[in-house]
Amino acid sequence: MQIAVLLQQVATPTVVKKILRFKQENPGMFAWEIRDQLLAQRICDPNSIPSVSSVNRILRNSGAWTEADLVSAAAAAASGGSCPPGPSNTQHSSG
């Protein structure tokens, strides 16, 4: 017997941008506080709010996301496509 699990994507490009903006505006903000703001500003509803772990993962990977990644993810979501692509595989030089 196989059990299929449907995972709803809650970290849409809009949500990711908001999470990054909250952190940029207030670097000391905790993930749970960011979640509270997503709810308070009605960016997410209680059924679609990312978990604290997801918020932390987005913040951790924020350097890997490019504007092109977010635009292509938004286009895929708008066209009814499946999960958007992850961060680019571009290497950032250290200097």
Side-chain angles (χ1 to χ4, degrees):
M1 176 194 314
Q2 291 182 339
I3 299 174
V5 177
L6 176 62
L7 297 176
Q8 180 182 6
Q9 181 190 5
V10 293
T12 64
T14 301
V15 172
V16 171
K17 285 181 181 182
K18 278 294 194 178
I19 290 169
L20 297 177
R21 179 169 290 155
F22 288 143
K23 191 66 172 182
Q24 182 181 18
E25 292 172 355
N26 185 355
M29 188 176 249
F30 292 105
W32 64 267
E33 293 172 308
I34 292 173
R35 289 182 80 236
D36 286 350
Q37 285 300 308
L38 291 171
L39 287 171
Q41 294 185 16
R42 297 179 183 237
I43 297 161
C44 297
D45 63 47
N47 296 322
S48 68
I49 188 82
S51 66
V52 170
S53 295
S54 292
V55 171
N56 280 323
R57 183 173 53 251
I58 290 164
L59 294 172
R60 219 178 19 253
N61 295 331
S62 65
W65 290 91
T66 66
E67 186 65 25
D69 291 329
L70 296 175
V71 169
S72 65
S79 67
S82 58
C83 292
S88 295
N89 291 330
T90 56
Q91 297 289 327
H92 298 284
S93 63
S94 58

